[in-house]
Amino acid sequence: MSNRTFTRTLSTAAVGALLLVSGIPAAHASHRGEIENVIGLPNGFQPEGITIGKRGTAYVGSLADGDIYVFDARSGEEIRTLEGPGTPSVGLKIDDGRLFIAGGATGEARVIDATTGRLLQNYTLSEDPTFVNDVVVTRDAAWFTDSQRAQLYKLPLGPSGALPEPDAIEVLPLSGDWVQGAGFNANGIAETPDRQALLVIQSSTGILFRVEPETGVATVVDLGGVVLTNGDGLLVAGRTLYVVQNQLNTVAVIRLDKAGTGGTLIDQLSDPAFEVPTTIAKFRKALYLPNARFGTPPTPETTYSVVRIER
């Protein structure tokens, strides 16, 4: 086993207790009486975004230098590290063997080959002070959030998902119910269950919005008064929306209507191993969340991990 991978193994009784606390049925525990649920990352890595391919290959981006750590979601074992450009990798998504990566304060986005790390295209989304935070890939575009500016960036995809030229980026101003505030604003992004619109969480207010992709009109999603404080990464699986609440070490689980106009909070997940998780990915019946450890001074020796919880 790689020295970059470690696991926490629990007894059957401990697993059952942990799953009950997390609101997860104990029946999902391993039949062998143990569960491996903490996957080590390289020291000093500073993770933020995570995405997992259909065959269980997982990718985690580094805020430190943009490296992409690749591991097997089933075993936690390291596969390889794709060398970054020396600038941050923030949110990322995989699609057709390509990684779409948000570049944070650089104002850039890049697309790389998920196997080799070869740069396929680089895009300058904004030359103004900005923070390109997260990304979702739809049938015809990749959409990026900007946490400092009230706008989204659209990377239109051509036939068979062809990448556009570097100057083809479209800027979509946010309007309607959207009110830009101080601090981090637009953060995590996902598609509605019917794939007709976008969901965007505003971290500074904890409000979830449904955004029309043609107009940028944002409407508050009716959650019955629930506020998603410190909302970060989003994941939609069917009609279930997972919202990572980073500083709260919590994942809110929401049952959405098909159009994403309203929803009900049905669960709140946590885990003793959470240390400010930021984003979330799913493989089979498990959720994977990287611990960003914001508030812990980053050093070359600081330890980081991905937490896996059965769902």
Side-chain angles (χ1 to χ4, degrees):
M1 180 178 294
S2 166
N3 60 7
R4 291 181 175 179
T5 301
F6 66 93
T7 60
R8 188 180 69 216
T9 301
L10 304 177
S11 67
T12 301
V15 169
L18 172 60
L19 295 178
L20 287 174
V21 168
S22 301
I24 305 170
H28 287 174
S30 168
H31 292 298
R32 296 174 299 172
E34 59 186 29
I35 185 171
E36 298 176 346
N37 66 346
V38 179
I39 300 164
L41 298 173
N43 288 354
F45 191 77
Q46 297 183 50
E48 211 280 350
I50 187 170
T51 188
I52 303 177
K54 294 179 180 179
R55 296 185 177 181
T57 301
Y59 306 82
V60 181
S62 169
L63 294 175
D65 56 13
D67 281 1
I68 307 295
Y69 182 82
V70 188
F71 68 93
D72 188 327
R74 291 157 295 197
S75 67
E77 293 184 356
E78 177 184 1
I79 297 175
R80 68 180 67 88
T81 295
L82 305 176
E83 185 175 355
T87 56
S89 290
V90 194
L92 66 161
K93 291 294 185 297
I94 187 167
D95 180 70
D96 291 334
R98 304 171 299 189
L99 290 174
F100 291 75
I101 304 170
T106 66
E108 296 180 345
R110 68 185 191 276
V111 184
I112 67 172
D113 184 288
T115 300
T116 66
R118 179 174 66 89
L119 180 67
L120 302 178
Q121 192 61 268
N122 195 76
Y123 299 93
T124 298
L125 306 184
S126 176
E127 295 182 348
D128 298 318
T130 188
F131 194 90
V132 180
N133 199 324
D134 206 355
V135 56
V136 65
V137 182
T138 68
R139 287 170 293 189
D140 61 359
W143 293 89
F144 295 83
T145 58
D146 189 327
S147 294
Q148 301 295 336
R149 304 173 68 80
Q151 58 196 30
L152 304 179
Y153 304 101
K154 179 182 179 182
L155 177 63
L157 303 177
S160 301
L163 296 175
E165 294 300 317
D167 60 355
I169 290 292
E170 301 174 18
V171 178
L172 184 72
L174 295 172
S175 59
D177 293 340
W178 188 272
V179 178
Q180 190 80 353
F184 258 41
N185 287 267
N187 196 332
I189 186 170
E191 279 190 287
T192 55
D194 64 4
R195 299 187 177 184
Q196 298 302 305
L198 302 168
L199 296 170
V200 177
I201 186 70
Q202 187 176 23
S203 292
S204 58
T205 63
I207 297 175
L208 180 69
F209 292 87
R210 181 184 187 276
V211 178
E212 294 289 346
E214 299 300 325
T215 64
V217 173
T219 305
V220 174
V221 178
D222 182 4
L223 300 179
V226 171
V227 177
L228 300 167
T229 305
N230 299 132
D232 200 329
L234 304 182
L235 170 67
V236 171
R239 286 174 54 183
T240 300
L241 169 67
Y242 299 93
V243 183
V244 183
Q245 296 178 264
N246 53 33
Q247 299 287 346
L248 302 185
N249 288 318
T250 299
V251 181
V253 185
I254 296 167
R255 181 67 172 174
L256 291 170
D257 61 36
K258 186 176 180 180
T261 60
T264 302
L265 179 69
I266 61 173
D267 206 350
Q268 291 176 297
L269 309 178
S270 189
D271 189 281
F274 281 171
E275 294 184 88
V276 194
T278 46
T279 49
I280 183 168
K282 186 176 187 293
F283 181 68
R284 294 178 179 170
K285 294 182 179 180
L287 303 172
Y288 296 75
L289 299 96
N291 278 326
R293 303 193 70 188
F294 294 148
T296 299
T299 72
E301 289 75 40
T302 303
T303 58
Y304 295 96
S305 62
V306 172
V307 179
R308 174 173 56 198
I309 57 177
E310 294 291 328
R311 180 65 180 166

